[in-house]
Amino acid sequence: MSRIGKMPVVIPAGVTVEFNNSTLTVKGAKGTLTQQVVGDIDVKVEGTQANVVALNDAQETNARHGLYRALLANMVKGVSEGYVKGLEVRGVGWKVAKQGNKLVLNVGFSHPVEFLEPAGIKLECPAPTEITVSGVDKVLVGQVAANLRAIRVPEPYHGYGIRYKGENVEHKEGKTSGKGKK
């Protein structure tokens, strides 16, 4: 059995967990999330705890046991607290602005880049060089943040680009003068 799978998931007040016909549904103040459960896995809700149970000892079932427990914990946290990822824009004259439901990025190209806000995600610009991605689905928040970062990945010589908050980009040494070579 999985050590992670055996741990119960604490359900905070205001969050409901239902498991019917291999579909796990978690509802909370921030929204609703659903997940299909494949294999011999059952979810039992008892009071303020939910337990993910493996119905047999097959290798596939053991592998999925911890997975679905982690997914359930992420869903419960998402509908109660939500997930937030921060990004920084670094570059001379580079800036970001929100216009309606799209993000307009001026990041060193000859034209501004427009990024549409996906459903279930909230994009904000607290400062001209900061982007905040928030939502209830951990995977979707991380993927949208990765897509924004991919627009202009930080380069190693000057550090220009879009990076996660707190990300350390290693700088490379520039060219040397080459004196003494023929």
Side-chain angles (χ1 to χ4, degrees):
M1 288 180 74
S2 167
R3 282 184 264 166
I4 293 173
K6 286 192 257 183
M7 298 188 311
V9 177
V10 178
I11 302 171
V15 176
T16 59
V17 176
E18 296 175 1
F19 183 69
N20 293 322
N21 300 329
S22 299
T23 303
L24 183 62
T25 306
V26 180
K27 295 178 185 174
K30 298 210 177 236
T32 302
L33 293 172
T34 59
Q35 174 70 45
Q36 282 296 118
V37 177
V38 179
D40 294 332
I41 302 287
D42 190 23
V43 179
K44 297 188 179 182
V45 181
E46 300 161 352
T48 61
Q49 287 186 346
N51 290 311
V52 178
V53 180
L55 300 177
N56 62 34
D57 285 338
Q59 186 174 1
E60 276 186 20
T61 305
N62 285 338
R64 292 180 178 147
H65 187 203
L67 167 73
Y68 286 118
R69 190 264 175 212
L71 290 174
L72 174 60
N74 290 343
M75 291 167 69
V76 168
K77 183 180 177 190
V79 298
S80 59
E81 301 170 25
Y83 288 98
V84 177
K85 273 269 203 213
L87 297 161
E88 298 173 342
V89 177
R90 290 199 185 168
V92 177
W94 292 15
K95 60 185 177 180
V96 180
K98 178 113 189 255
Q99 293 177 356
N101 68 340
K102 60 185 167 186
L103 205 59
V104 179
L105 300 102
N106 292 309
V107 288
F109 295 119
S110 62
H111 59 284
V113 178
E114 295 182 352
F115 187 87
L116 286 173
E117 190 175 69
I121 293 293
K122 186 175 181 185
L123 297 173
E124 295 175 342
C125 296
T129 59
E130 291 181 13
I131 304 169
T132 304
V133 182
S134 59
V136 295
D137 189 355
K138 183 178 185 178
V139 174
L140 189 58
V141 168
Q143 186 62 54
V144 169
N147 291 346
L148 280 166
R149 183 182 182 273
I151 291 171
R152 198 68 185 234
V153 178
E155 56 94 22
Y157 294 101
H158 299 281
Y160 294 163
I162 301 172
R163 63 177 78 186
Y164 298 115
K165 277 201 175 160
E167 180 182 3
N168 186 24
V169 176
E170 287 191 31
H171 290 280
K172 290 184 178 179
E173 186 177 331
K175 290 184 177 179
T176 56
S177 66
K179 289 182 181 177
K181 292 185 179 182
K182 290 188 177 186

